[in-house]
Coordinates of all heavy atoms in Angstrom, one line a residue:
M1 N 25.3 -72.0 -23.4 CA 25.2 -70.6 -23.3 C 24.0 -70.2 -22.5 O 24.1 -69.3 -21.7 CB 25.1 -70.0 -24.7 CG 25.3 -68.5 -24.7 SD 25.2 -67.8 -26.4 CE 24.9 -66.1 -26.1
S2 N 23.0 -70.9 -22.6 CA 21.8 -70.5 -21.9 C 21.7 -71.4 -20.6 O 20.6 -71.7 -20.1 CB 20.5 -70.7 -22.7 OG 20.5 -72.0 -23.2
E3 N 22.8 -71.8 -20.1 CA 22.8 -72.6 -18.9 C 22.9 -71.8 -17.7 O 23.9 -71.3 -17.3 CB 24.0 -73.6 -19.0 CG 23.5 -75.0 -19.4 CD 24.5 -76.0 -19.1 OE1 24.9 -76.1 -17.9 OE2 25.0 -76.7 -20.0
K4 N 21.7 -71.6 -17.1 CA 21.7 -70.8 -15.8 C 21.5 -71.8 -14.7 O 21.0 -72.9 -14.8 CB 20.5 -69.9 -15.8 CG 20.7 -68.7 -16.8 CD 19.7 -67.6 -16.6 CE 20.0 -66.4 -17.5 NZ 19.0 -65.4 -17.2
T5 N 22.0 -71.3 -13.5 CA 21.9 -72.2 -12.4 C 20.9 -71.6 -11.4 O 20.7 -70.3 -11.3 CB 23.2 -72.3 -11.7 OG1 23.8 -71.1 -11.5 CG2 24.2 -73.2 -12.5
C6 N 20.3 -72.4 -10.6 CA 19.3 -72.0 -9.6 C 20.0 -71.1 -8.5 O 21.0 -71.5 -8.0 CB 18.7 -73.2 -8.9 SG 17.6 -72.8 -7.6
P7 N 19.5 -69.9 -8.3 CA 20.1 -69.0 -7.3 C 19.9 -69.5 -5.9 O 20.6 -69.0 -5.0 CB 19.3 -67.7 -7.5 CG 18.0 -68.1 -8.2 CD 18.3 -69.3 -9.0
I8 N 19.1 -70.5 -5.7 CA 18.8 -71.0 -4.4 C 19.8 -72.1 -4.0 O 20.5 -72.1 -3.0 CB 17.4 -71.5 -4.2 CG1 16.4 -70.4 -4.6 CG2 17.2 -72.0 -2.8 CD1 16.5 -69.2 -3.7
C9 N 19.9 -73.1 -4.9 CA 20.7 -74.3 -4.6 C 21.9 -74.5 -5.5 O 22.8 -75.3 -5.3 CB 19.9 -75.5 -4.5 SG 19.2 -76.0 -6.1
G10 N 21.9 -73.7 -6.6 CA 23.0 -73.8 -7.5 C 22.9 -74.9 -8.6 O 23.8 -75.1 -9.4
K11 N 21.8 -75.6 -8.6 CA 21.6 -76.7 -9.6 C 21.2 -76.0 -10.9 O 20.7 -74.9 -10.9 CB 20.5 -77.6 -9.1 CG 21.0 -78.6 -8.0 CD 19.8 -79.5 -7.7 CE 20.2 -80.3 -6.5 NZ 19.1 -81.2 -6.0
P12 N 21.4 -76.8 -12.0 CA 21.0 -76.2 -13.3 C 19.5 -75.9 -13.3 O 18.7 -76.7 -12.8 CB 21.2 -77.4 -14.3 CG 22.3 -78.2 -13.6 CD 22.1 -78.1 -12.1
A13 N 19.2 -74.7 -13.9 CA 17.8 -74.3 -13.8 C 16.9 -75.1 -14.8 O 17.4 -75.6 -15.8 CB 17.7 -72.8 -14.3
D14 N 15.7 -75.3 -14.4 CA 14.7 -76.0 -15.2 C 14.0 -75.1 -16.1 O 13.8 -73.9 -15.8 CB 13.7 -76.7 -14.2 CG 12.8 -77.6 -15.0 OD1 11.8 -77.2 -15.5 OD2 13.2 -78.8 -15.0
A15 N 13.7 -75.6 -17.3 CA 13.1 -74.8 -18.3 C 11.8 -74.2 -17.9 O 11.4 -73.1 -18.2 CB 12.9 -75.6 -19.6
I16 N 11.1 -75.0 -17.1 CA 9.7 -74.6 -16.6 C 9.8 -73.6 -15.5 O 9.1 -72.7 -15.4 CB 8.9 -75.9 -16.2 CG1 8.8 -76.8 -17.4 CG2 7.6 -75.5 -15.7 CD1 8.2 -78.2 -17.1
H17 N 10.8 -73.9 -14.6 CA 10.8 -73.1 -13.4 C 11.9 -72.1 -13.3 O 12.2 -71.5 -12.3 CB 11.0 -74.1 -12.2 CG 9.9 -75.1 -12.1 ND1 8.7 -74.8 -11.6 CD2 9.9 -76.4 -12.3 CE1 7.9 -75.9 -11.6 NE2 8.7 -76.9 -12.1
K18 N 12.6 -71.9 -14.5 CA 13.7 -71.0 -14.5 C 13.3 -69.6 -14.0 O 12.2 -69.1 -14.2 CB 14.3 -70.9 -15.9 CG 13.4 -70.3 -16.9 CD 14.1 -70.3 -18.2 CE 13.1 -69.7 -19.3 NZ 13.7 -69.8 -20.6
P19 N 14.2 -68.9 -13.3 CA 15.6 -69.3 -13.2 C 15.9 -70.3 -12.1 O 17.1 -70.5 -11.8 CB 16.3 -67.9 -12.9 CG 15.3 -67.2 -12.1 CD 14.0 -67.6 -12.6
F20 N 14.9 -70.9 -11.6 CA 15.1 -71.9 -10.5 C 15.1 -73.3 -11.1 O 14.7 -73.5 -12.2 CB 14.0 -71.7 -9.5 CG 13.9 -70.3 -9.0 CD1 12.9 -69.5 -9.4 CD2 14.8 -69.8 -8.1 CE1 12.8 -68.2 -9.0 CE2 14.7 -68.5 -7.6 CZ 13.7 -67.7 -8.1
C21 N 15.5 -74.2 -10.2 CA 15.6 -75.6 -10.7 C 14.3 -76.3 -10.4 O 14.0 -77.4 -11.0 CB 16.8 -76.3 -10.0 SG 16.4 -76.6 -8.2
S22 N 13.5 -75.8 -9.5 CA 12.3 -76.5 -9.2 C 11.3 -75.5 -8.6 O 11.6 -74.4 -8.2 CB 12.6 -77.6 -8.2 OG 13.1 -77.1 -7.0
R23 N 10.1 -76.0 -8.4 CA 9.0 -75.1 -7.8 C 9.4 -74.8 -6.4 O 9.1 -73.8 -5.8 CB 7.7 -75.9 -7.9 CG 6.6 -75.1 -7.4 CD 5.3 -75.8 -7.9 NE 4.1 -75.1 -7.2 CZ 3.4 -75.6 -6.3 NH1 3.7 -76.8 -5.8 NH2 2.4 -74.9 -5.8
R24 N 10.0 -75.8 -5.8 CA 10.4 -75.6 -4.4 C 11.4 -74.4 -4.2 O 11.1 -73.6 -3.3 CB 11.1 -76.9 -3.9 CG 11.2 -77.0 -2.4 CD 11.8 -78.3 -2.1 NE 11.8 -78.6 -0.7 CZ 12.3 -79.7 -0.1 NH1 12.9 -80.6 -0.9 NH2 12.2 -79.9 1.1
C25 N 12.4 -74.4 -5.0 CA 13.3 -73.3 -4.9 C 12.7 -72.0 -5.2 O 13.0 -70.9 -4.7 CB 14.5 -73.6 -5.8 SG 15.7 -74.8 -5.1
R26 N 11.8 -72.0 -6.1 CA 11.0 -70.8 -6.5 C 10.3 -70.3 -5.3 O 10.2 -69.1 -5.0 CB 10.0 -71.2 -7.6 CG 9.6 -70.0 -8.4 CD 8.9 -70.5 -9.6 NE 7.8 -69.7 -10.1 CZ 7.0 -70.0 -11.0 NH1 7.0 -71.2 -11.6 NH2 6.1 -69.2 -11.4
L27 N 9.7 -71.2 -4.5 CA 8.9 -70.8 -3.3 C 9.9 -70.3 -2.3 O 9.6 -69.3 -1.5 CB 8.1 -72.0 -2.8 CG 6.9 -72.3 -3.7 CD1 6.2 -73.6 -3.1 CD2 5.9 -71.2 -3.7
V28 N 11.0 -70.9 -2.2 CA 12.0 -70.4 -1.2 C 12.4 -69.0 -1.5 O 12.5 -68.2 -0.6 CB 13.2 -71.4 -1.2 CG1 14.4 -70.8 -0.4 CG2 12.9 -72.8 -0.7
D29 N 12.6 -68.7 -2.7 CA 13.0 -67.4 -3.1 C 11.9 -66.4 -2.8 O 12.1 -65.3 -2.3 CB 13.4 -67.4 -4.6 CG 13.9 -66.0 -5.0 OD1 15.0 -65.7 -4.6 OD2 13.2 -65.2 -5.7
L30 N 10.7 -66.8 -3.1 CA 9.5 -65.9 -2.9 C 9.4 -65.7 -1.4 O 9.1 -64.6 -0.9 CB 8.3 -66.6 -3.4 CG 7.0 -65.8 -3.3 CD1 7.0 -64.7 -4.3 CD2 5.8 -66.7 -3.5
N31 N 9.6 -66.7 -0.6 CA 9.5 -66.6 0.8 C 10.6 -65.6 1.4 O 10.2 -64.8 2.2 CB 9.8 -68.0 1.5 CG 8.8 -68.3 2.5 OD1 8.4 -67.4 3.3 ND2 8.3 -69.5 2.6
R32 N 11.8 -65.7 0.8 CA 12.8 -64.8 1.3 C 12.4 -63.3 0.9 O 12.6 -62.4 1.7 CB 14.1 -65.1 0.5 CG 14.8 -66.3 1.1 CD 16.2 -66.3 0.5 NE 16.8 -67.6 0.8 CZ 18.0 -68.0 0.2 NH1 18.6 -67.2 -0.6 NH2 18.5 -69.1 0.6
W33 N 11.9 -63.2 -0.2 CA 11.5 -61.8 -0.7 C 10.4 -61.3 0.2 O 10.5 -60.1 0.6 CB 11.0 -62.0 -2.1 CG 10.9 -60.7 -2.8 CD1 11.9 -60.0 -3.5 CD2 9.7 -59.8 -2.9 NE1 11.4 -58.9 -3.9 CE2 10.1 -58.7 -3.6 CE3 8.4 -59.9 -2.4 CZ2 9.3 -57.6 -3.9 CZ3 7.6 -58.8 -2.6 CH2 8.0 -57.7 -3.4
M34 N 9.4 -62.1 0.6 CA 8.4 -61.6 1.4 C 8.8 -61.3 2.8 O 8.4 -60.4 3.5 CB 7.2 -62.7 1.4 CG 6.5 -62.7 0.1 SD 5.2 -63.9 0.1 CE 3.9 -63.1 1.1
T35 N 9.7 -62.2 3.3 CA 10.2 -61.9 4.6 C 11.0 -60.6 4.7 O 10.9 -59.9 5.7 CB 11.2 -63.1 5.0 OG1 10.6 -64.3 4.7 CG2 11.6 -63.0 6.5
G36 N 11.7 -60.3 3.6 CA 12.4 -59.0 3.6 C 11.5 -57.9 3.6 O 11.7 -56.8 4.2
A37 N 10.3 -58.0 2.9 CA 9.4 -57.0 2.8 C 8.7 -56.7 4.1 O 8.3 -55.6 4.5 CB 8.3 -57.3 1.8
Y38 N 8.6 -57.8 4.9 CA 8.0 -57.7 6.2 C 9.0 -57.2 7.3 O 8.6 -57.1 8.5 CB 7.4 -59.0 6.6 CG 6.0 -59.2 6.1 CD1 5.7 -60.1 5.1 CD2 5.0 -58.4 6.7 CE1 4.4 -60.2 4.7 CE2 3.7 -58.6 6.3 CZ 3.4 -59.5 5.3 OH 2.1 -59.7 4.8
A39 N 10.2 -56.9 6.9 CA 11.2 -56.5 7.9 C 10.9 -55.1 8.4 O 11.6 -54.6 9.3 CB 12.6 -56.6 7.2
V40 N 10.0 -54.4 7.7 CA 9.7 -53.0 8.1 C 8.3 -52.9 8.6 O 7.5 -52.3 7.9 CB 10.0 -52.0 7.0 CG1 10.1 -50.6 7.5 CG2 11.3 -52.4 6.3
P41 N 7.9 -53.5 9.7 CA 6.5 -53.4 10.1 C 6.2 -52.2 10.9 O 7.0 -51.4 11.4 CB 6.5 -54.6 11.1 CG 7.9 -54.8 11.6 CD 8.8 -54.1 10.6
A42 N 4.9 -51.9 10.9 CA 4.5 -50.7 11.6 C 4.1 -51.0 13.0 O 3.0 -51.2 13.4 CB 3.3 -50.1 10.9
V43 N 5.1 -51.2 13.8 CA 4.9 -51.6 15.2 C 4.4 -50.5 16.1 O 3.7 -50.7 17.0 CB 6.3 -52.1 15.8 CG1 6.1 -52.5 17.2 CG2 6.9 -53.2 15.0
E44 N 4.7 -49.3 15.7 CA 4.3 -48.1 16.5 C 2.8 -47.8 16.4 O 2.3 -47.0 17.1 CB 5.1 -46.9 16.1 CG 6.5 -47.0 16.7 CD 7.3 -45.8 16.3 OE1 6.9 -44.7 16.4 OE2 8.4 -46.0 15.7
E45 N 2.2 -48.4 15.4 CA 0.8 -48.1 15.1 C -0.1 -48.4 16.4 O -1.0 -47.6 16.7 CB 0.3 -48.8 13.9 CG -0.4 -47.9 12.9 CD -0.8 -48.6 11.7 OE1 0.0 -48.7 10.8 OE2 -1.9 -49.1 11.6
D46 N 0.3 -49.4 17.0 CA -0.5 -49.8 18.2 C -0.4 -48.8 19.3 O -1.3 -48.3 19.9 CB 0.0 -51.2 18.7 CG -1.2 -52.2 18.7 OD1 -2.0 -52.1 17.8 OD2 -1.2 -53.0 19.6
D47 N 0.8 -48.3 19.5 CA 1.1 -47.3 20.5 C 0.4 -46.0 20.2 O -0.1 -45.3 21.1 CB 2.6 -47.1 20.6 CG 3.2 -47.9 21.7 OD1 2.5 -48.2 22.7 OD2 4.4 -48.2 21.7
D48 N 0.4 -45.7 18.9 CA -0.1 -44.4 18.5 C -1.6 -44.4 18.8 O -2.1 -43.4 19.3 CB 0.1 -44.3 17.0 CG 0.1 -42.8 16.6 OD1 0.6 -42.0 17.3 OD2 -0.5 -42.5 15.5
E49 N -2.3 -45.5 18.6 CA -3.7 -45.5 18.8 C -4.0 -45.3 20.3 O -4.9 -44.6 20.7 CB -4.3 -46.8 18.3 CG -5.7 -46.8 18.0 CD -6.3 -48.1 17.6 OE1 -5.6 -48.7 16.8 OE2 -7.3 -48.5 18.1
N50 N -3.2 -46.0 21.1 CA -3.4 -45.9 22.5 C -3.2 -44.4 23.0 O -4.0 -43.9 23.8 CB -2.4 -46.8 23.2 CG -3.0 -47.5 24.4 OD1 -4.0 -47.0 24.9 ND2 -2.4 -48.6 24.8
W51 N -2.2 -43.9 22.5 CA -1.8 -42.5 22.9 C -2.9 -41.5 22.5 O -3.3 -40.7 23.3 CB -0.5 -42.1 22.1 CG 0.0 -40.8 22.6 CD1 0.8 -40.5 23.7 CD2 -0.3 -39.5 21.9 NE1 1.0 -39.2 23.7 CE2 0.4 -38.5 22.7 CE3 -1.0 -39.1 20.8 CZ2 0.4 -37.2 22.3 CZ3 -1.0 -37.8 20.4 CH2 -0.3 -36.8 21.2
E52 N -3.5 -41.7 21.4 CA -4.5 -40.8 20.9 C -5.8 -40.9 21.8 O -6.4 -39.9 22.1 CB -4.9 -41.1 19.5 CG -5.0 -39.9 18.6 CD -5.2 -40.2 17.2 OE1 -4.3 -40.8 16.6 OE2 -6.2 -39.8 16.6
T53 N -6.1 -42.1 22.2 CA -7.3 -42.3 23.0 C -7.1 -41.6 24.3 O -8.0 -40.9 24.8 CB -7.5 -43.8 23.3 OG1 -7.4 -44.5 22.1 CG2 -8.8 -44.1 24.0
V54 N -5.9 -41.7 24.9 CA -5.7 -41.0 26.2 C -5.7 -39.5 26.0 O -6.3 -38.8 26.8 CB -4.3 -41.5 26.8 CG1 -4.0 -40.7 28.0 CG2 -4.3 -43.0 27.0
H55 N -5.0 -39.1 25.0 CA -4.9 -37.7 24.7 C -6.2 -37.0 24.4 O -6.5 -35.9 24.8 CB -3.9 -37.5 23.5 CG -3.5 -36.1 23.3 ND1 -2.5 -35.5 24.1 CD2 -3.9 -35.1 22.5 CE1 -2.3 -34.3 23.7 NE2 -3.2 -34.0 22.7
D56 N -7.1 -37.8 23.8 CA -8.3 -37.2 23.3 C -9.2 -36.8 24.5 O -9.9 -35.8 24.5 CB -9.1 -38.2 22.5 CG -10.0 -37.6 21.5 OD1 -9.7 -36.4 21.1 OD2 -11.0 -38.2 21.1
G57 N -9.2 -37.6 25.6 CA -10.1 -37.3 26.7 C -9.6 -36.2 27.6 O -10.3 -35.8 28.5
R58 N -8.3 -35.8 27.4 CA -7.8 -34.9 28.4 C -7.8 -33.5 28.0 O -7.9 -32.6 28.9 CB -6.3 -35.3 28.7 CG -6.3 -36.7 29.3 CD -5.4 -36.8 30.5 NE -5.6 -38.0 31.2 CZ -4.8 -38.5 32.1 NH1 -3.7 -37.7 32.4 NH2 -5.0 -39.6 32.7
E59 N -7.8 -33.2 26.7 CA -7.7 -31.8 26.3 C -9.0 -31.3 25.8 O -9.5 -31.6 24.8 CB -6.6 -31.7 25.3 CG -5.3 -31.3 25.9 CD -4.3 -30.9 24.8 OE1 -4.6 -29.9 24.1 OE2 -3.3 -31.5 24.8
E60 N -9.6 -30.5 26.6 CA -10.8 -29.8 26.1 C -10.7 -28.3 26.2 O -10.2 -27.8 27.1 CB -12.0 -30.3 27.0 CG -12.7 -31.5 26.5 CD -13.9 -31.9 27.3 OE1 -14.6 -31.0 27.7 OE2 -14.1 -33.1 27.6
P61 N -11.1 -27.7 25.2 CA -11.0 -26.2 25.1 C -11.8 -25.5 26.2 O -12.8 -25.9 26.6 CB -11.5 -25.9 23.7 CG -12.1 -27.0 23.1 CD -11.8 -28.2 24.0
Ligands
LIG101 ZN1 17.2 -75.0 -6.7

């Protein structure tokens, strides 16, 4: 009844590393999670800074 399988490789989960079968699969899952979180990077920040520097010197009241 409490037999779960590793979501990474499908092997029976280990009591210590559940729901994964091993530490390795646990890290794999963590890696996937982090990679997904990094899928939304702030790439425009660099451009924004550049734009502001240029813009700042040109407009004076
Ligand atoms: Zn596994």
Side-chain angles (χ1 to χ4, degrees):
M1 192 176 159
S2 59
E3 259 196 56
K4 289 193 175 182
T5 52
C6 175
I8 303 299
C9 66
K11 285 181 186 174
D14 189 273
I16 299 168
H17 303 286
K18 65 182 177 182
F20 307 101
C21 71
S22 62
R23 185 165 172 251
R24 196 180 189 178
C25 282
R26 200 166 149 190
L27 288 176
V28 171
D29 185 73
L30 185 73
N31 226 319
R32 281 190 193 175
W33 196 85
M34 285 178 78
T35 311
Y38 271 110
V40 194
V43 180
E44 280 179 55
E45 231 175 273
D46 240 38
D47 263 334
D48 202 41
E49 200 182 317
N50 219 339
W51 185 85
E52 223 171 302
T53 309
V54 176
H55 192 79
D56 205 28
R58 298 230 168 166
E59 262 192 62
E60 269 183 42

